[in-house]
Amino acid sequence: MSAPRMLRRTGGILCLMLILSGGAYRLSAAETAADHPVRVEIIPEVTSLHAARSFSVALRFSMKPGWHIYWGNPGDSGQPASFHWSLPEGFAAEPVFWPVPERIVQPPLVSYGYEGEVFLFQKMNVPRALENGKPYRFEVRADWLVCQVDCIPGREDFEFTLEAEDKLPEVDFRWADAFRRMSSRLPAELDEAVTLRVSRTSQHLMFQILLPETARGKIMRLQFFPCEASLIQHAAGQEMSLIPGGLLLKVPLSMLAPKSLERVRGLLVADPAWPQPGSPRGVTVDLPLSEDSPTPADLRPAVRSPMNFLTAILFSFLGGLMLNLMPCVLPVLSLKIIGLTQSARTPSAAKKQGLAYGAGVLALFWLLALLILIFRRTGQAVGWGFQMQSPLFVTFLAVLFFVLALSLFGIFEIPLTVTPHPSGHKKKYVLWEAFAGGALATLVATPCTAPMMGAALGFALTQPAISVAAVFTSLGAGMALPYILLSFYPQALRWLPKPGAWMIALKQFFAFPMLATVLWLSWVLGIQTGVNAVTRLFAGLWMIGFALWGYGKVQSIAGRLTRRVLVGVVCGSLIAGFFVLFPMRGLSGDKTSSAADSVWETYSEDKLAVYRASGRPVFLDFTAAWCLTCQVNERVALENPKVIKRMRELGIVPMKADWTSYDAGITKALESHGRSSIPLYVFYPANGGLPLILPEVLTPDIVLNFLNKLKTEDNTPHEAEP
């Protein structure tokens, strides 16, 4: 911190100490108007008095840009305005009605207050007996603190006189519009149709809000402003999530929070507004603390799609079938199917191989389900493809695909199929190789999400563990079914040529998609960790490639001494290769989003809330560099010039949520739409309508037809039709 800035802040603290110690600081009218960063004036609502007819008085604060005053609870720093009245006999002033404040962030502190213009209201109760024609004089001393980087305390005395009349008092027409406008910023009582419960855990306040069906989905952001200064961590994030029937807000407690808290008082502020009459931004909270903590069912995110268990099972099964067509899986599956031609003459062996392959597929799907459940049990929000967010796993996959490609080229032998050996020798196929083939096919499928998979997995991960296991089992069964059927009915492969040299050529052909996958994974790694990691990857692959070439020579050389020398070279190269790759795990993700240098804005919860509050429509693309379907959709549809032009014409904000590396905010945003995987395309209509979800596979026509048929008055979330 620079010396001038430190002096200014020190001066502000000293001035605040003067106020707290009773030091007088009075501004002249000239100072208030010209030099001081805030202008203060008193405004009575009426022009006369009437017996027993209360009225409002406002202290109007007009701040220069960048300056602010404080709410009743100023947060981490500051001092709220205070008013000391001298009233005629029989009159009484009620406490200040504080408008809904804003969070004022000055890292590492967060305060609550007001910028620009604000009216602080007080209600004045009038006695039953007044002397008509008599003037009544009201005096008030106002103290406040106004801050930017430095803080300036202020004090001024105000007075006004109103005459008692027999007729009802008239509203001062000069300020009628301002009173109406500023009164709309006052918090309201919570609608009776809303159920609110507040409970406490060891570290959080938990607000459970159950909303009527017509109000669900209209609150994009929720914040709690406490009346007690030491109750919560003001600078900490407050986490809102969807639960069945409403919302859950988790607010971190302060270390100074009282142990014997009985009631919670404050404001719940919604963006863009509470869906109730009057559309207030804030509602008052004054509730006893519930003794019961939320149950796991209460905390489970809500799924906003017409999905049930049987539908999820069907969708996951069909999604598993379509996974076989994904570019990473197809080469492996094709080689396995071709291998069945070698077993067609022994039906029992073919059936065993098919079942072993299916067992390998299911085993890896169960392992993935178990890992996801364990991570989520420990509080980490993960979903399908979560392992691709790890640079170490991406590196492992790149090495795996590189090794498979070398094997397919014939540099060394991995028995993916039982293709004939150049010498004519046929290798005996064992069941563990079929099992490993199934596990390998599942492993290489993890970057992909087939149509219908997303909705099924999103539903499953909001359900109990048994439902998660059932959906992942259905997914694995769908993926394994084609190979198992062909193993039981190998006569379906009679159209294939007889085994021969063509099978070796086909193996070598499939090596090229494997190498293309290595290039793609290196690109993903570069986005996650930078160019140095890609350089290490290529160096490690070079060494591993040399080692495997040597291993292939060992397989075909009979001389003992030569074999020993080659084995030493192979081991040394492998160790060197993995030594080069090993530092990958220490590299931190340096995620760069392609949205930064294109028409797409980078997603943030705050930015989305601002656009929605302003009535702007938003198209949100949940994507990742490792998601092949996402990349194809972007190149083919979302980056199409006609699509971009149409979005601009409709005033739509294109926004991209890049999930290449783990991002808790994006994960929670996915869960709010009942999903745990990508791609996901969400359109937020103008003026706060509920979001619409597009298909997982896009074409320019699908997107353009959707944009051309938008009906912003439709307020029901649904899957957009292609």
Side-chain angles (χ1 to χ4, degrees):
M1 184 182 295
S2 65
R5 184 173 179 183
M6 183 178 293
L7 288 174
R8 287 197 301 269
R9 180 158 294 191
T10 304
I13 295 172
L14 290 175
C15 291
L16 177 58
M17 291 173 65
L18 284 174
I19 282 187
L20 296 177
S21 62
Y25 184 95
R26 183 184 177 90
L27 292 172
S28 67
E31 287 177 309
T32 303
D35 302 326
H36 203 60
V38 60
R39 183 172 182 267
V40 187
E41 55 188 314
I42 192 165
I43 306 169
E45 179 187 18
V46 295
T47 58
S48 61
L49 298 174
H50 185 76
R53 179 73 66 169
S54 61
F55 65 95
S56 293
V57 179
L59 267 293
R60 180 193 186 201
F61 290 80
S62 301
M63 279 77 72
K64 290 183 178 180
W67 292 82
H68 59 269
I69 64 170
Y70 294 94
W71 185 52
N73 170 17
D76 285 325
S77 66
Q79 179 75 11
S82 60
F83 310 105
H84 307 280
W85 287 91
S86 177
L87 300 174
E89 185 178 354
F91 287 81
E94 294 189 0
V96 175
F97 291 114
W98 297 96
V100 173
E102 302 293 338
R103 294 176 86 247
I104 299 169
V105 181
Q106 294 178 314
L109 306 178
V110 169
S111 301
Y112 308 135
Y114 312 97
E115 296 178 323
E117 181 188 40
V118 66
F119 282 30
L120 300 185
F121 295 95
Q122 283 189 271
K123 185 178 179 181
M124 200 66 63
N125 293 320
V126 180
R128 293 182 178 275
L130 291 179
E131 184 178 341
N132 289 334
K134 177 182 177 179
Y136 290 84
R137 180 176 174 141
F138 300 82
E139 298 177 356
V140 63
R141 169 168 289 182
D143 292 286
W144 65 87
L145 184 70
V146 60
C147 296
Q148 190 184 45
V149 176
D150 47 357
C151 294
I152 302 175
R155 169 176 290 180
E156 188 160 2
D157 294 327
F158 300 94
E159 62 179 51
F160 63 91
T161 301
L162 295 176
E163 188 174 302
E165 295 182 357
D166 193 28
K167 63 179 182 179
L168 292 177
E170 295 181 355
V171 173
D172 190 336
F173 71 91
R174 296 172 301 172
W175 296 100
D177 289 340
F179 263 74
R180 279 193 295 269
R181 177 167 48 87
M182 290 297 174
S183 295
S184 66
R185 296 176 59 180
L186 294 174
E189 296 293 328
L190 190 61
D191 193 281
E192 293 182 355
V194 178
T195 301
L196 174 62
R197 185 166 76 103
V198 187
S199 56
R200 176 179 181 171
T201 66
S202 59
Q203 297 181 341
H204 293 88
L205 282 179
M206 312 288 281
F207 293 84
Q208 293 174 269
I209 304 105
L210 300 181
L211 299 166
E213 188 171 353
T214 55
R216 294 172 193 167
K218 295 185 178 181
I219 295 177
M220 304 307 300
R221 187 179 182 185
L222 197 61
Q223 296 181 87
F224 175 61
F225 292 77
C227 289
E228 293 83 3
S230 60
L231 181 59
I232 70 170
Q233 300 178 41
H234 304 295
Q238 299 185 13
E239 180 184 321
M240 186 190 85
S241 58
L242 295 175
I243 59 174
L247 302 168
L248 176 73
L249 181 67
K250 293 175 63 177
V251 182
L253 284 167
S254 165
M255 294 176 61
L256 302 177
K259 302 296 184 183
S260 58
L261 184 65
E262 295 182 355
R263 297 188 72 84
V264 175
R265 296 189 301 274
L267 300 180
L268 278 175
V269 179
D271 288 318
W274 280 91
Q276 66 182 53
S279 300
R281 280 196 66 222
V283 296
T284 56
V285 174
D286 188 356
L287 292 174
L289 198 66
S290 173
E291 295 182 359
D292 298 326
S293 297
T295 65
D298 294 329
L299 303 180
R300 191 173 296 129
V303 179
R304 295 196 314 209
S305 62
M307 180 72 64
N308 55 44
F309 178 73
L310 293 179
T311 307
I313 293 294
L314 175 62
F315 276 27
S316 58
F317 182 80
L318 295 176
L321 282 174
M322 285 184 277
L323 271 180
N324 291 296
L325 303 178
M326 295 293 112
C328 295
V329 181
L330 189 58
V332 176
L333 179 65
S334 300
L335 293 173
K336 300 299 296 181
I337 291 175
I338 291 172
L340 282 176
T341 60
Q342 302 296 303
S343 305
R345 297 175 184 176
T346 54
S348 61
K351 293 176 182 179
K352 291 178 181 179
Q353 292 168 23
L355 293 175
Y357 176 89
V361 171
L362 287 175
L364 204 63
F365 271 109
W366 289 336
L367 177 61
L368 286 172
L370 179 62
L371 289 175
I372 289 174
L373 288 172
I374 290 174
F375 280 122
R376 296 175 76 89
R377 184 74 174 178
T378 59
Q380 300 184 49
V382 296
W384 176 259
F386 74 96
Q387 66 279 6
M388 293 298 297
Q389 295 168 339
S390 165
L392 189 61
F393 186 82
V394 172
T395 302
F396 165 73
L397 273 189
V399 172
L400 175 63
F401 277 100
F402 180 71
V403 170
L404 290 176
L406 295 184
S407 175
L408 293 176
F409 277 129
I411 292 176
F412 77 108
E413 187 70 21
I414 293 180
L416 283 174
T417 73
V418 283
T419 55
H421 194 270
S423 64
H425 175 68
K426 292 184 179 180
K427 296 191 174 184
K428 184 179 179 181
Y429 205 103
V430 292
L431 294 182
W432 76 264
E433 292 172 347
F435 180 91
L440 176 65
T442 305
L443 184 64
V444 299
T446 53
C448 302
T449 301
M452 295 181 282
M453 266 183 63
L457 291 174
F459 170 82
L461 295 179
T462 65
Q463 304 302 308
I466 187 66
S467 299
V468 176
V471 168
F472 272 77
T473 300
S474 178
L475 190 61
M479 184 174 174
L481 182 63
Y483 185 83
I484 294 176
L485 287 178
L486 289 174
S487 68
F488 274 71
Y489 302 98
Q491 58 269 27
L493 299 175
R494 289 176 181 173
W495 57 272
L496 289 175
K498 292 183 178 181
W502 68 271
M503 299 178 69
I504 297 176
L506 185 64
K507 280 181 61 178
Q508 295 172 349
F509 169 79
F510 278 132
F512 288 97
M514 297 291 185
L515 290 178
T517 304
V518 173
L519 290 176
W520 165 65
L521 289 168
S522 65
W523 172 68
V524 172
L525 184 66
I527 289 179
Q528 290 178 327
T529 60
V531 68
N532 288 340
V534 178
T535 303
R536 285 185 175 276
L537 172 65
F538 286 160
L541 293 180
W542 182 86
M543 295 177 186
I544 291 172
F546 179 75
L548 293 178
W549 171 82
Y551 174 69
K553 294 302 181 183
V554 170
Q555 290 178 321
S556 59
I557 291 178
R560 180 176 298 180
L561 179 62
T562 305
R563 286 172 63 92
R564 287 179 178 178
V565 171
L566 280 175
V567 166
V569 172
V570 167
C571 293
S573 298
L574 280 176
I575 292 172
F578 284 105
F579 180 79
V580 169
L581 291 172
F582 182 76
M584 282 307 173
R585 71 176 188 178
L587 294 174
S588 59
D590 182 20
K591 182 173 64 174
T592 57
S593 174
S594 60
D597 52 7
S598 69
V599 298
W600 293 78
E601 293 202 28
T602 303
Y603 166 82
S604 75
E605 181 184 358
D606 291 343
K607 190 181 295 184
L608 177 61
V610 168
Y611 280 125
R612 297 220 68 198
S614 65
R616 293 283 302 277
V618 178
F619 187 102
L620 181 54
D621 170 18
F622 289 89
T623 184
W626 44 261
C627 172
L628 287 175
T629 309
C630 304
Q631 298 304 314
V632 172
N633 286 340
E634 288 175 7
R635 301 298 186 273
V636 172
L638 297 182
E639 295 178 4
N640 184 285
K642 293 181 180 179
V643 171
I644 296 297
K645 180 181 177 182
R646 187 58 178 151
M647 286 190 181
R648 286 174 175 166
E649 291 172 348
L650 296 175
I652 296 172
V653 178
M655 188 175 289
K656 186 172 292 188
D658 189 349
W659 209 35
T660 301
S661 297
Y662 179 74
D663 187 301
I666 294 177
T667 305
K668 294 184 185 305
L670 282 168
E671 290 180 341
S672 72
H673 297 288
R675 297 297 174 91
S676 62
S677 61
I678 53 175
L680 177 64
Y681 306 102
V682 183
F683 177 75
Y684 296 90
N687 302 318
L690 288 186
L692 306 172
I693 298 176
L694 279 76
E696 292 168 326
V697 176
L698 299 179
T699 65
D701 287 341
I702 289 176
V703 180
L704 289 172
N705 289 338
F706 171 77
L707 296 177
N708 291 331
K709 295 178 182 178
L710 284 176
K711 296 181 180 179
T712 56
E713 71 271 15
D714 180 9
N715 205 33
T716 304
H718 60 275
E719 302 283 336
E721 296 181 1

